[in-house]
């Protein structure tokens, strides 16, 4: 009744001297022998020798917060505490120590993160240093898994605690920002490589098998190879191509007809079906081409050296020769193992330049262009659909730098050299399909039914990207058959087999296995059912590779646009109206499709636009139309 509140501080100060948690263990040891329950006052008397208010308060404070030795048993009038059994205490002590150890480790890890975060970018610890200590490695891996949103419940809990201790929000973007800040990830890290668990390295077993092949260099087809090394051979590809797997030759026959050769690299002279390297290639499905790196389907020393066609060197190949009728249809064809000696390694740009120069000494290149022209006309007469677009190509030379160099190339698929190569690849696919049909050979035959929409429906759309975009928008899904050819309505040919990229596409490699066995007089290694199953496995990985390529290309296009001067104008082609005046556009100088509202114009017209916002990490792009003021003389 006469309590003085000013004495509370003095009371608490005295209590501090009595709040020794070790007394809990002493009391427990004494009481647990008899399994005796006690009240707070009884505990105070045992521990402190009396049960006055100060001692009872301290006893209550210790017991109510204890999680190891005693458990509270409720009664109607007051609390009673029961000593826990020795096994329970042992387990709770183990958990307590583990928790304290985890808290200490977390504190030390947070200190590491803060120290690394404070360092300048050039002095950040190397990525490998985070894995010297196993427990530190587990924590950094938890943050990485959280950043790519592919973590277990335990990793999610751990990463959340780390982010909270660092003062970050518990989000994947915060985890990514932290990992960039401490130097674990470069600024422009490709998270998809982790999200999709992409195979970017090879096991020691696969690399060892590859080295053995490089030493032995077996060739079971040596006795049936035809020497075509006297032919002039043109290999035409993008300038940064690492895997060169096709090349072209042509002559004019005495009767005026054109004969062309499509020479394809011959990896199956090294790789055997069902071997360890073959299985590895199947589970990759394709080489992955990103702006920042290439991840080949085969180990690099095989793909880019032993398997690839090389200028001026004797190269093993499979040569598909085709003689054309004057109208562009196939008159005759042969498939044979060969040896060639590539004369020129040309980029599309340099090949186009040679075509424009019309040099007399490069007559074979002119014949190839003529063959491509009559082939394109013939395919059009068979109902082929033009799908040539303007496509961007980006090469990033130093992707780990905060501000890497971005080289953008806009590739017009209507480029003469690109059309030449494309026509010859299609011709090769048609000839291989015809060969397979004539010899009842199971192959991965690819078809494409004609669209339900007639090509004439887009006759009002101007030629070029707008017409191609309209054609592509109504294409039906491709079809596969593994016993006989199916018509390819889009290409305008009776059958098609992908055959020209066996170093970079597994389905092409399967076709090589089948054809090569037939040429040797052996039974094909795979049945139609085998091919279907293996194509399905490879195709799943191809889909991931395409998604990777598409996402990475878009990221770097947005980064390119982000760096451009504010207000820069871009020419844009109207491809389609999505709704009302909301239009799909093609940025002509960038090769990228975007969407915005335009105030005027129709499909195929050109408008001017500017970029308001480009955020590559958040995948945000905001475009607005720029109205040209025709009355403004400065404009």
């Amino acid at each position: 009744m006469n309590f003085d509140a000013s004495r509370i501080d003095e009371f608490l100060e005295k209590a501090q001297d009595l709040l020794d948690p070790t007394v809990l263990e002493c009391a427990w040891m004494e009481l647990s022998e008899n399994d005796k329950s006690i009240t707070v006052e009884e505990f105070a008397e045992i521990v402190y020798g009396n049960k006055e208010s100060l001692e009872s308060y301290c006893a209550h404070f210790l017991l109510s917060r204890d999680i190891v030795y005693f458990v509270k048993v409720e009664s109607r009038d007051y609390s009673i505490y029961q000593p826990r059994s020795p096994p329970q205490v042992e387990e709770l002590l183990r958990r307590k120590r583990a928790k304290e150890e985890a808290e200490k480790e977390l504190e030390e890890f947070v200190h590491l993160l803060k120290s690394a975060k404070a360092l300048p970018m050039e002095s950040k610890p190397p990525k490998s240093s985070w894995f010297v200590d196993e427990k530190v490695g587990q924590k950094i891996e938890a943050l990485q898994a959280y950043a790519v949103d592919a973590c277990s419940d335990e990793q999610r809990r751990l990463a959340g605690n780390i982010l909270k201790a660092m003062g970050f929000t518990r989000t994947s973007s915060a985890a990514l920002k932290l990992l960039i800040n401490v130097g674990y990830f470069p600024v422009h890290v490709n998270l998809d490589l982790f999200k999709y668990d992409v195979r970017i390295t090879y096991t020691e077993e696969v690399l060892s098998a590859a080295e053995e092949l490089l030493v032995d260099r077996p060739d079971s087809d040596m006795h049936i190879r035809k020497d075509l090394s006297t032919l002039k051979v043109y290999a035409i590809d993008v300038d940064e191509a690492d895997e060169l797997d096709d090349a072209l030759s042509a002559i004019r026959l005495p009767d005026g007809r054109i004969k062309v050769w499509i020479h394809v690299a011959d990896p199956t002279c090294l790789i055997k079906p069902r071997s360890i390297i073959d299985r590895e290639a199947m589970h990759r499905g394709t080489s992955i081409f990103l702006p920042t790196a290439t991840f080949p389907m085969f180990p690099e020393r095989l793909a880019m050296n032993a398997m690839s066609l090389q200028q001026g060197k004797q190269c093993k190949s499979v040569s598909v020769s085709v003689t054309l009728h004057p109208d562009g249809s196939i008159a005759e064809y042969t498939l044979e193992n060969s040896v060639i000696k590539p004369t020129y390694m040309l980029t599309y740009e340099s090949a186009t330049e040679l075509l424009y120069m019309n040099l007399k000494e490069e007559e074979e290149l002119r014949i190839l262009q003529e063959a491509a022209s009559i082939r394109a006309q013939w395919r059009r007469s068979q109902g082929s659909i033009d799908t040539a677009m303007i496509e961007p190509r980006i090469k990033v030379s130093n992707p780990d730098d905060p501000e890497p160099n971005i080289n953008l190339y806009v590739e017009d698929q209507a480029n003469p050299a690109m059309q030449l190569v494309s026509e010859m690849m299609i011709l090769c696919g048609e000839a291989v399909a015809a060969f397979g049909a004539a010899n009842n050979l199971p192959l991965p035959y690819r078809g494409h039914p004609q669209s339900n929409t007639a090509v004439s429906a887009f006759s009002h759309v101007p030629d070029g990207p707008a017409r191609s975009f309209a054609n592509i928008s109504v294409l039906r899904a491709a079809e596969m058959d593994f016993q006989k050819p199916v018509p390819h309505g889009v290409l305008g040919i009776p059958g098609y087999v992908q055959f020209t990229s066996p170093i970079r596409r597994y389905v092409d490699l399967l076709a090589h296995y089948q054809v090569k066995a037939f040429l040797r007089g052996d039974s094909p290694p795979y049945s139609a059912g085998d091919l279907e199953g293996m194509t399905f496995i490879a195709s799943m990985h191809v889909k991931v590779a395409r998604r990777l390529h598409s996402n990475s290309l878009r990221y770097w296009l947005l980064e390119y646009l982000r760096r451009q001067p504010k207000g820069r104008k871009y020419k844009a082609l109207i491809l389609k109206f999505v709704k009302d005046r909301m239009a799909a556009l093609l940025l002509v100088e960038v090769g990228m499709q975007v969407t915005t509202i335009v105030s005027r114009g129709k499909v195929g017209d050109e408008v001017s636009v500017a970029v308001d916002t480009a955020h590559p990490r958040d995948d945000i792009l905001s475009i607005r139309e720029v109205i040209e003021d025709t009355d403004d003389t400065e404009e």
Side-chain angles (χ1 to χ4, degrees), residues 267-539:
T268 64
C269 72
L270 292 171
I271 310 300
K272 300 307 173 195
R274 301 181 180 88
S275 65
I276 183 173
I277 294 178
D278 170 68
R279 290 197 304 273
E280 178 72 19
M282 180 180 70
H283 286 287
R284 290 172 180 257
T286 182
S287 295
I288 299 174
F289 300 100
L290 304 179
T292 51
T294 297
F295 303 112
M297 186 172 77
F298 291 112
E300 190 170 316
R301 271 169 49 82
L302 280 179
M304 299 174 188
N305 295 305
M307 292 177 175
S308 284
L309 302 179
Q310 298 178 53
Q311 184 174 0
K313 293 186 178 180
Q314 298 273 348
C315 300
K316 300 179 185 72
S317 63
V318 180
S319 293
V320 179
S321 64
V322 182
T323 301
L324 297 174
H325 284 303
D327 68 351
S329 60
I330 294 176
E332 302 163 15
Y333 65 83
T334 60
L335 275 70
E336 55 199 345
N337 293 287
S338 62
V339 175
I340 63 168
K341 191 175 181 182
T343 315
Y344 295 117
M345 294 292 186
L346 302 173
T347 64
Y348 288 116
E349 292 77 15
S350 59
T352 297
E353 211 172 295
L354 270 179
L355 287 169
Y356 284 141
M357 291 168 70
N358 200 21
L359 299 174
K360 186 178 179 182
E361 55 268 33
E362 300 302 337
E363 181 189 3
E364 295 86 350
L365 191 60
R366 295 205 310 274
I367 294 172
L368 279 168
Q369 186 180 33
E370 184 183 337
S373 177
I374 63 173
R375 276 292 296 174
Q377 289 173 20
W378 180 79
R379 289 195 305 107
R380 276 195 293 273
S381 73
Q382 303 301 305
S384 70
I385 298 172
D386 184 13
T387 57
M389 286 291 288
I390 292 175
E391 298 283 351
R393 209 170 76 238
I394 279 184
K395 202 69 179 172
V396 181
S397 52
N398 48 343
D400 288 348
D401 287 1
E403 290 285 321
N405 296 323
I406 302 174
N407 297 306
L408 171 67
Y409 311 89
V410 179
E411 202 171 71
D412 186 352
Q413 292 176 342
N415 166 292
M418 290 197 81
Q419 284 197 317
L420 184 160
V421 172
S422 176
E423 285 297 337
M424 293 302 103
M425 299 304 107
I426 294 167
L427 176 61
C428 179
E430 183 186 348
V432 173
F435 178 85
N439 297 291
N440 295 315
L441 193 58
L443 288 172
Y445 298 100
R446 186 177 294 272
H448 218 136
Q450 286 279 15
S451 166
N452 293 328
T453 305
V455 177
S456 58
F458 303 121
S459 57
H460 64 287
V461 179
D463 262 338
R467 175 83 65 87
S468 294
F469 182 83
N471 288 336
I472 292 167
S473 68
V474 296
L475 290 183
R476 293 161 67 186
E479 297 176 350
M480 294 291 290
D481 195 295
F482 299 91
Q483 294 178 315
K484 61 184 188 305
V486 286
H488 202 301
V490 175
L491 298 179
I493 54 178
Y496 182 65
V497 173
Q498 286 185 323
F499 194 76
T500 56
S501 297
I503 302 176
R504 63 181 83 175
R505 282 195 308 241
Y506 188 74
V507 174
D508 295 44
L509 187 74
L510 286 176
H512 275 245
Y513 284 140
Q514 301 291 92
V515 167
K516 291 287 298 291
F518 183 88
L519 293 176
R520 280 195 301 270
D522 296 340
S523 297
Y526 299 118
S527 67
D530 293 335
L531 291 176
E532 184 171 6
M534 297 167 79
T535 299
F536 177 77
I537 292 170
S539 296

Side-chain angles (χ1 to χ4, degrees), residues 526-586:
Y526 299 118
S527 67
D530 293 335
L531 291 176
E532 184 171 6
M534 297 167 79
T535 299
F536 177 77
I537 292 170
S539 296
M540 289 193 300
H541 298 287
V542 170
K543 284 178 184 175
V544 172
R546 284 177 181 158
R547 196 175 303 134
L548 270 170
H549 173 78
S550 173
N551 291 353
S552 183
L553 182 63
R554 179 172 173 82
Y555 177 94
W556 287 105
L557 284 171
L558 291 180
E559 176 64 11
Y560 171 84
L561 292 172
R562 184 188 70 80
R563 296 186 188 184
Q564 299 310 299
K566 196 74 175 171
R568 174 186 165 182
K569 294 177 186 176
Y570 299 87
K571 288 190 293 183
L573 199 67
I574 300 176
L575 299 175
K576 175 186 176 182
F577 285 100
V578 181
K579 185 181 179 183
D580 298 328
R581 299 303 297 178
M582 178 66 73
L585 309 174
L586 175 68

